[in-house]
């Protein structure tokens, strides 16, 4: 298995014995292999290069024989809103740690004051490292719900569950 920059990241042994590599039937001329990476590969395209050898030492080689695409979506963690007990004159600052193999391209903080019927968007900005921050303007007394949507460089998105605070 090879990255497009031609760096090899794994070598697989293929079998037609009905015992190894996920092969189900011996002698059916269908060769199988399984790859279990210890760490998730970075998002993007990977090329498969195949080399086959028979018992007489004859070797065949196929570059870029197949391609596979690895996609992921951002993760959202450590969501917090401060102050945790706001008044109707407080702006609430929401922070979260957003991560993705390809990088986080954007984040939007949504808030609702009607139980989730309508969600108002607020942009979030990168503060440092993986920490992103957005603000919710002062609200009237009641429950405020908020959630975060993060998008990566390939436009894959993740939306957190809803969080809440009381004004």
């Amino acid at each position: 298995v090879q990255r497009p920059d031609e760096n090899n990241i794994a070598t697989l042994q293929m079998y037609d014995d009905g015992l190894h590599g996920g092969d189900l039937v011996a002698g059916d001329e269908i060769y199988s292999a399984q790859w279990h990476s210890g760490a998730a590969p970075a998002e993007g395209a990977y090329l498969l290069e195949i080399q086959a050898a028979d018992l007489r030492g004859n070797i065949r080689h196929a570059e870029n024989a197949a391609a596979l695409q690895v996609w992921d979506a951002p993760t959202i963690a450590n969501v917090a809103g401060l102050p945790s007990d706001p008044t109707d004159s407080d702006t609430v600052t929401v922070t979260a740690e957003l991560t993705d193999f390809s990088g986080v391209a954007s984040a939007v903080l949504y808030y609702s004051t009607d139980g989730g019927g309508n969600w108002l968007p607020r942009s979030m900005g990168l503060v440092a490292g993986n920490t992103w921050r957005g603000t919710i303007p002062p609200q009237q007394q009641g429950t405020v719900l908020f959630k975060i949507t993060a998008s990566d460089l390939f436009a894959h998105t993740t939306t957190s569950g809803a969080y809440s605070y009381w004004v």
Side-chain angles (χ1 to χ4, degrees):
V1 180
Q2 183 179 84
R3 290 192 180 115
D5 64 6
E6 298 189 3
N7 286 321
N8 290 327
I9 59 171
T11 300
L12 306 173
Q13 183 78 33
M14 299 181 77
Y15 298 93
D16 183 21
D17 63 2
L19 302 172
H20 298 93
D23 187 58
L24 300 176
V25 179
D28 63 358
E29 298 184 10
I30 298 174
Y31 290 79
S32 301
Q34 293 180 345
W35 173 38
H36 298 284
S37 173
E43 187 169 57
Y46 291 82
L47 303 173
L48 301 180
E49 184 174 305
I50 299 174
Q51 180 172 311
D54 63 18
L55 296 175
R56 294 187 178 141
N58 298 311
I59 297 174
R60 296 284 182 183
H61 184 82
E63 289 188 23
N64 304 332
L68 63 100
Q69 191 72 37
V70 175
W71 299 112
D72 73 328
T75 60
I76 302 171
N78 301 322
V79 177
L82 291 174
S84 57
D85 209 8
T87 67
D88 61 1
S89 62
D90 289 327
T91 295
V92 173
T93 299
V94 175
T95 58
E97 290 189 27
L98 309 178
T99 57
D100 184 86
F101 284 116
S102 67
V104 177
S106 65
V108 178
L109 169 65
Y110 292 92
Y111 72 95
S112 173
T113 58
D114 65 358
N118 295 297
W119 292 93
L120 302 170
R122 303 281 292 178
S123 63
M124 296 184 79
L126 180 61
V127 178
N130 295 321
T131 302
W132 288 68
R133 177 175 53 210
T135 59
I136 299 173
Q139 299 297 314
Q140 305 251 339
Q141 184 177 14
T143 299
V144 178
L145 300 174
F146 66 93
K147 61 185 178 181
I148 297 169
T149 296
S151 298
D152 70 11
L153 298 175
F154 292 97
H156 299 110
T157 62
T158 299
T159 300
S160 71
Y163 297 85
S164 67
Y165 61 88
W166 174 260
V167 177

